[in-house]
Amino acid sequence: MGARSVIKGRGRMEGGNKVIVTPHRHAGVFMIAKGRDCTILTKNLLPGKAVYNEERLSVQNEYGTEVEYRVWDPFRSDLAAAVIGGADNISIKPGAKVLYLGAASGTTVSPVSDIAGP
């Protein structure tokens, strides 16, 4: 199942609040919008694994399948901040080949790998 097949899912975040995950305009990026706040997510390429102790969210999609997302923190990743800030083109999409130089703790490169896929 590709990232585009996940249209909407319901899951729970902190405090047991129900959330709705929707696709972002950048392919492979998803979001949870609450009022003026927006949390961006990537579909976890390796469900059950965290790279830098990021928050993860399991959501049941419209087909009843569990999908795990990872929160992409814009305070730890310049690319995530650019997405939140409205960047027009991040040049990374599902199926892209990416050479990422400067992977320190994985706060940008691991979500990029989630987006690009295997």
Side-chain angles (χ1 to χ4, degrees), residues 28-29 41-47 49-56 68-73 76-77 79-80 92 98 100-118:
V29 180
L41 314 161
T42 57
K43 188 175 168 185
N44 196 349
L45 191 59
L46 300 170
K49 302 283 184 184
V51 175
Y52 53 94
N53 204 25
E54 68 277 11
E55 185 177 354
R56 291 175 291 150
E68 185 176 275
Y69 296 92
R70 297 186 309 139
V71 173
W72 195 8
D73 188 350
R76 298 181 74 185
S77 167
L79 185 57
I92 300 165
V98 179
Y100 188 89
L101 303 175
S105 62
T107 58
T108 297
V109 73
S110 59
V112 165
S113 72
D114 287 345
I115 295 168

Side-chain angles (χ1 to χ4, degrees), residues 81-99:
V83 169
I84 291 282
D88 289 331
N89 186 358
I90 60 171
S91 300
I92 300 165
K93 60 186 177 204
K97 291 186 177 165
V98 179
L99 172 62

Side-chain angles (χ1 to χ4, degrees), residues 11-53:
R12 295 187 180 274
M13 263 185 108
E14 292 179 19
N17 296 329
K18 286 190 177 185
V19 297
I20 296 175
V21 175
T22 56
H24 190 273
R25 63 187 175 94
H26 296 294
V29 180
F30 301 86
M31 65 183 191
I32 300 169
K34 289 168 61 175
R36 298 179 85 186
D37 294 331
C38 176
T39 300
I40 58 172
L41 314 161
T42 57
K43 188 175 168 185
N44 196 349
L45 191 59
L46 300 170
K49 302 283 184 184
V51 175
Y52 53 94
N53 204 25

